[in-house]
């Protein structure tokens, strides 16, 4: 279980100090699919960065079972991310001078996963292993980043606007792959998005506004990627 | 207005490497060529055969040193300049693409790259001025046993023209011409940030991929870093080559030349080596910021990132050191023969193991210190900043 306790985060100093998160608390159960919804500047990406150990909060704690990751040193947090966390970003951040296969190996090698090609096949890119990112479409690049993140067998997968740079059809396709793999492997998903329709796919929805949680609700019935609006 | 968009002060500051190399080259060449011209003026005053032999030896030394040092450093400066421009265009593709998209022609943008040539002018000017500050002392050292008639340094405009003005113009033209060629790329290719695979290399790449398919990611990253940045491999080899050859040369020639010349050669070697090494490693780190950030996000340790990106250059450093060691031995052997062949009791020159060991130890310390400093720099790369870029 992930527990976020009274997390505060600000940027800048003095008069230009801006409070981005104003004491956030929430709980995410293992295997849950959580969507954090909010407009630009609501603090959702900052919350995701703090929950995943990419950033430290000014105050508060982030507990993974009994481990408070905010108390870990930089190298301990790196090791924590190595063992537990997977990431998918809006801009893919694939390594441009490496083939699709090598990009996925980047994640797989960390978990000593030699079966990484299965993951590429699972996202429909078995045929494009020897291609370079620049030779793929946006949707294909995002699917590579899905395979890369999951090849390291993470306990928790963090996604920051994964469909933000994709058209509707490709976006749905990527989300569909993620959902199928979520059901198959049972990892926890925390996804940040501003697209309200995507929230219908998640079991739990956290709505943020100006650094606060304005609403938390659960969906008793969840939809798949092709049933939601766009 | 375009110039501010094309090349900023921060970019120009990166040309310190060229500035230093040109400064060193012009300093050495000015000293020896000026001496060479002035010494020709006293030829008629020499009556003794022995003094004439000494005179000939001095003329030969000046010619060998200035052509070797000047030539070698000139070639390096040109390679470095082209590397800088290529690197600059690659990292500023988007801005340059926007300029082209809004209507600036490739030629109009390329003209602004003359700024890169200005580093040569400033370096040459500093080297020329530095040489003149040392000129009187240099003349005294060259003739410290008073074998030749008394000489005083004279200013020769031809040297200023050929060592300061001409290189600056030449490098300015190279900068404009090379950037023009690079900017001939279509606008869309410039605007597209992603890395392009040269189509001619497809087949070769596929074969390579088949071979390296099962290699661990970190090994593959190490290989691709070396493969994609061949110019940097050259610079690392060159840096250690300079260090090995010039430090050993300065130790070995204590019986053949003045202490001043020895110290000068050693200092030039160290400055050149450090400048080139810093340039190469900084480029590796800056060019791989996103890779490093993603590796850190995924949980690769700082040591692993450092090993994968910089570790591959270590063997290159030692190869450069070995080549530099052989080079300095051969060059000194040849130089001793050329300079002293007509002089009775020609000095014997043998390989100096002690000098080699001292140079190797110093090289190890400097190289590993630089690597350590850069691994600390890796630690400071902000994941968030890179993501926001």
């Amino acid at each position: 279980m992930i527990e976020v306790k009274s997390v505060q985060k600000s940027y800048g100093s003095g008069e230009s100090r801006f409070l981005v998160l104003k004491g956030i608390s929430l709980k995410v159960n293992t295997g849950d699919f959580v969507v954090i919804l909010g407009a630009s500047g609501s603090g959702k990406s900052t919350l995701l960065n703090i929950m995943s150990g990419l950033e430290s909060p000014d105050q508060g704690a982030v507990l993974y079972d009994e481990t408070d990751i905010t108390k870990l040193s930089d190298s301990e947090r790196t090791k924590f991310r190595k063992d537990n966390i997977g990431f998918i970003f809006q801009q893919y951040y694939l390594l441009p001078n490496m083939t699709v296969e090598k990009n996925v190996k980047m994640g797989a090698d960390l978990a000593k996963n030699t079966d990484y090609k299965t993951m590429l096949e699972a996202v429909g890119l078995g045929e494009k292993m020897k291609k370079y990112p620049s030779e793929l479409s946006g949707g294909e690049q995002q699917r590579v980043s899905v395979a890369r993140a999951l090849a390291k067998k993470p306990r928790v997968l963090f996604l920051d606007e994964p469909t933000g740079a994709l058209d509707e059809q490709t976006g749905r396709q990527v989300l569909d792959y993620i959902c199928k793999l979520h059901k198959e492997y049972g990892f926890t998903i925390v996804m940040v998005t501003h697209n309200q329709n995507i929230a219908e796919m998640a079991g739990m929805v956290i709505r943020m506004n100006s650094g606060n949680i304005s609403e938390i609700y659960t969906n008793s019935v969840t939809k798949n990627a092709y049933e939601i609006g766009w | 207005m375009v110039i501010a968009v094309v090349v900023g002060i921060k970019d120009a500051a990166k040309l310190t490497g060229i500035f230093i190399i040109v400064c060193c080259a012009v300093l050495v060449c000015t000293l020896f060529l000026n001496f060479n011209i002035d010494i020709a003026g006293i030829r008629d005053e020499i009556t003794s055969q022995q003094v004439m032999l000494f005179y000939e030896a001095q003329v030969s030394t000046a010619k060998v040193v200035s052509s070797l040092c000047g030539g070698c450093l000139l070639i390096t400066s040109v390679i470095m300049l082209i590397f800088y421009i290529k690197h600059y265009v690659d990292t500023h593709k988007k801005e340059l693409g926007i300029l082209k998209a809004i209507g600036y022609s490739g030629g109009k943008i390329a003209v602004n790259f003359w700024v890169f040539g200005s580093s040569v002018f400033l370096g040459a000017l500093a080297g020329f001025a530095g040489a003149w500050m040392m000129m009187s002392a240099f003349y005294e050292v060259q003739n410290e046993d008073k074998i030749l008639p008394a000489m005083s340094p004279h200013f020769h405009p031809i040297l200023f023209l050929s060592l300061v003005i001409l290189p600056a113009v030449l490098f300015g033209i190279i900068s404009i011409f090379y950037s023009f060629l690079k900017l001939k790329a279509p606008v869309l290719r410039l605007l597209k940030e992603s890395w392009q695979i040269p189509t001619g290399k497809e087949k070769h790449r596929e074969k390579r991929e088949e071979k390296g398919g099962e290699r661990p990611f970190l090994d593959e990253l190490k290989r691709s870093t070396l493969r994609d940045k061949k110019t940097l491999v050259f610079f690392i080899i060159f840096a250690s080559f300079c260090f090995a050859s010039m430090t050993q040369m300065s130790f070995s020639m204590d019986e053949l030349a003045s202490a001043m010349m020895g110290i000068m050669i050693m200092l030039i070697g160290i400055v050149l080596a450090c400048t080139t090494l810093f340039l190469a490693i900084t480029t590796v780190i800056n060019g791989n910021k996103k890779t490093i950030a993603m590796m850190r996000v995924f949980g690769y340790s700082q040591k692993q990132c450092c090993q994968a990106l910089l570790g591959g250059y270590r063997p290159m450093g030692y190869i450069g050191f070995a080549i530099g060691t052989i080079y300095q031995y051969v060059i000194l052997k040849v130089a001793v023969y050329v300079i002293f062949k007509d002089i009775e009791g020609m000095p014997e020159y043998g390989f100096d193991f002690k000098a080699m060991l001292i140079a190797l130890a110093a090289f190890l310390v400097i190289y590993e210190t630089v690597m350590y400093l850069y691994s600390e720099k890796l630690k400071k790369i902000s994941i968030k900043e890179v993501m926001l870029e």
Side-chain angles (χ1 to χ4, degrees):
Chain A
M1 197 211 311
I2 311 169
E3 190 173 1
V4 178
K5 284 182 172 175
S6 312
V7 162
Q8 278 194 24
K9 179 75 182 175
S10 60
Y11 293 116
S13 57
E15 281 183 19
S16 62
R17 186 170 174 265
F18 178 66
L19 201 56
V20 185
L21 297 178
K22 300 170 181 169
I24 300 283
S25 296
L26 61 98
K27 280 182 186 174
V28 176
N29 291 317
T30 305
D32 271 3
F33 183 165
V34 178
V35 159
I36 303 174
L37 262 183
S40 181
S42 60
K44 57 189 191 304
S45 288
T46 305
L47 177 61
L48 182 121
N49 289 343
I50 289 172
M51 284 176 78
S52 59
L54 284 182
E55 270 189 273
S56 293
D58 298 339
Q59 278 177 46
V62 178
L63 300 161
Y64 279 74
D65 300 324
E66 298 304 312
T67 313
D68 182 357
I69 63 163
T70 63
K71 298 277 189 289
L72 301 178
S73 67
D74 188 51
S75 57
E76 287 169 333
R77 266 214 310 272
T78 303
K79 186 173 182 324
F80 175 81
R81 286 199 302 272
K82 174 190 162 194
D83 296 336
N84 299 286
I85 310 291
F87 290 94
I88 295 170
F89 298 97
Q90 183 179 350
Q91 299 301 328
Y92 330 131
Y93 297 118
L94 299 178
L95 308 186
N97 52 349
M98 294 237 172
T99 59
V100 165
E101 184 185 7
K102 294 283 151 46
N103 266 282
V104 177
K105 271 198 96 171
M106 177 189 172
D109 279 8
L110 283 170
K112 297 187 171 57
N113 175 8
T114 51
D115 195 25
Y116 60 93
K117 286 178 185 165
T118 319
M119 202 56 73
L120 269 170
E121 274 150 18
V123 294
L125 290 171
E127 301 284 298
K128 300 203 168 175
M129 273 194 258
K130 305 291 178 198
K131 298 274 180 196
Y132 282 86
S134 58
E135 297 169 301
L136 303 179
S137 67
E140 286 171 331
Q141 289 190 51
Q142 191 59 301
R143 273 148 59 198
V144 176
S145 81
V146 171
R148 180 180 63 178
L150 296 180
K152 77 190 282 274
K153 298 178 176 169
R155 280 172 58 200
V156 188
L157 180 64
F158 287 94
L159 302 100
D160 193 355
E161 300 275 13
T163 57
L166 304 175
D167 62 82
E168 179 184 339
Q169 196 190 349
T170 321
R172 285 183 197 275
Q173 198 184 32
V174 168
L175 288 176
D176 190 48
Y177 278 118
I178 292 167
C179 281
K180 279 180 186 160
L181 294 167
H182 172 236
K183 279 181 189 141
E184 194 178 337
Y185 294 98
F187 48 84
T188 307
I189 289 184
V190 180
M191 185 194 292
V192 157
T193 180
H194 65 271
N195 185 337
Q196 300 230 12
N197 297 307
I198 293 175
E200 293 173 30
M201 294 173 68
M204 181 178 168
V205 181
I206 299 163
R207 195 182 290 275
M208 289 192 68
N209 188 19
S210 306
N212 288 306
I213 292 178
S214 57
E215 186 185 10
I216 297 183
Y217 63 89
T218 53
N219 288 320
S220 50
V221 180
T222 55
K223 294 181 178 175
N224 72 37
Y226 294 102
E227 292 168 339
I228 58 171
W230 200 264
Chain B
M1 186 253 168
V2 187
I3 197 160
V5 183
V6 177
V7 189
I9 293 171
K10 209 178 152 192
D11 300 303
K14 287 179 188 163
L15 299 168
T16 333
I18 296 176
F19 173 88
I20 293 173
I21 291 183
V22 172
C23 180
C24 291
V26 171
L27 184 125
V28 174
C29 291
T30 308
L31 284 174
F32 281 96
L33 291 177
N34 209 79
F35 181 74
N36 213 20
I37 297 173
D38 283 342
I39 204 174
I42 58 160
R43 199 177 195 280
D44 297 340
E45 294 174 35
I46 300 168
T47 46
S48 140
Q49 182 66 23
Q50 276 303 101
V51 177
M52 184 53 82
L53 287 174
F54 181 75
Y55 166 86
E56 297 290 351
Q58 290 283 38
V59 171
S60 304
T61 310
K63 278 181 187 161
V64 169
V65 172
S66 49
S67 54
L68 266 178
C69 189
C72 180
L73 295 181
L74 180 78
I75 293 166
T76 312
S77 312
V78 173
I79 295 172
M80 205 176 253
L81 181 77
I82 287 174
F83 169 77
Y84 265 125
I85 296 173
K86 183 182 178 301
H87 182 69
Y88 181 86
V89 172
D90 286 345
T91 50
H92 291 77
K93 261 184 184 175
K94 230 177 176 174
E95 292 94 318
L96 296 168
I98 291 168
L99 283 177
K100 272 189 90 173
I102 60 173
Y104 285 96
S105 68
K108 204 167 183 181
I109 302 170
V111 167
N112 293 285
F113 279 76
W114 68 266
V115 174
F116 282 84
S118 68
S119 62
V120 174
F121 175 71
L122 293 174
L125 201 63
F128 197 83
W132 270 96
M133 284 163 78
M134 297 163 67
M135 201 63 89
S136 300
F138 178 74
Y139 273 50
E140 272 175 37
V141 170
Q142 288 296 89
N143 191 23
E144 61 185 343
D145 297 327
K146 311 283 179 213
I147 296 170
L148 296 170
M151 259 190 317
S152 58
H154 295 95
F155 180 79
H156 303 286
I158 184 74
L159 280 185
F160 183 77
L161 194 74
S162 52
L163 292 175
V164 180
I165 306 294
L166 214 61
V169 174
L170 183 74
F171 275 70
I173 292 169
I174 293 174
S175 305
I176 294 169
F177 183 68
Y178 183 70
S179 53
F180 177 71
L181 289 181
K182 292 288 289 177
L183 289 166
K184 270 177 120 177
V187 177
L188 282 177
R189 216 173 116 193
L190 289 170
L191 284 171
K192 200 177 173 191
E193 251 187 308
S194 53
W195 201 72
Q196 300 292 320
I197 309 293
T199 46
K201 292 183 179 173
E202 289 289 292
K203 280 188 180 173
H204 178 59
R205 185 205 72 189
E206 277 166 22
K207 276 187 191 167
R208 210 169 56 204
E209 281 307 319
E210 276 165 30
K211 277 186 200 166
E214 298 309 315
R215 231 176 256 135
F217 167 75
L218 290 174
D219 270 7
E220 189 53 39
L221 181 62
K222 194 187 274 184
R223 280 164 187 269
S224 75
T225 310
L226 286 179
R227 203 167 52 213
D228 299 335
K229 299 266 189 289
K230 289 193 185 75
T231 330
L232 292 181
V233 172
F234 166 79
F235 283 138
I236 298 274
I237 293 177
F238 176 74
S240 36
F241 167 86
C242 284
F243 186 85
S245 58
M246 292 192 170
T247 48
Q248 289 182 70
M249 220 180 257
S250 73
F251 281 124
S252 308
M253 66 195 296
D254 57 347
E255 285 174 13
L256 309 169
S258 62
M260 185 195 178
M261 200 191 288
I263 291 168
M264 207 166 73
I265 287 177
M266 187 193 277
L267 284 179
I268 289 175
I270 293 172
V271 169
L272 271 180
C274 291
T275 312
T276 321
L277 193 62
F278 274 112
L279 158 81
I281 307 291
T282 307
T283 312
V284 174
I285 303 268
N286 290 342
N288 286 286
K289 260 189 179 175
K290 277 186 181 163
T291 304
I292 296 163
M294 273 321 286
M295 287 174 74
R296 300 288 305 281
V297 164
F298 270 65
Y300 282 94
S301 66
Q302 182 202 340
K303 198 181 163 189
Q304 283 173 314
C305 296
C306 204
Q307 276 285 332
L309 291 170
L310 303 177
Y313 292 106
R314 188 171 280 110
M316 304 301 147
Y318 289 103
I319 289 171
F321 188 91
I323 299 172
T325 303
I326 297 166
Y327 166 84
Q328 65 87 27
Y329 174 70
V330 172
I331 216 80
L332 274 186
K333 196 95 183 158
V334 170
V336 165
Y337 176 74
V338 170
I339 295 166
F340 298 103
K341 64 180 176 190
D342 299 325
I343 297 174
E344 251 178 75
M346 186 171 87
E348 202 35 55
Y349 174 69
F351 187 73
D352 192 341
F353 271 104
K354 199 177 146 200
M356 196 266 281
L357 288 176
I358 295 170
L360 183 61
F363 176 73
L364 263 168
V365 172
I366 294 174
Y367 190 87
E368 296 307 328
T369 309
V370 170
M371 289 299 163
Y372 173 76
L373 291 175
Y374 274 98
S375 76
E376 287 301 299
K377 205 178 166 188
L378 281 189
K379 213 191 263 181
K380 287 177 192 148
I381 290 178
S382 155
I383 294 169
K384 201 169 176 181
E385 265 175 44
V386 173
M387 299 296 171
L388 288 174
E389 263 176 23

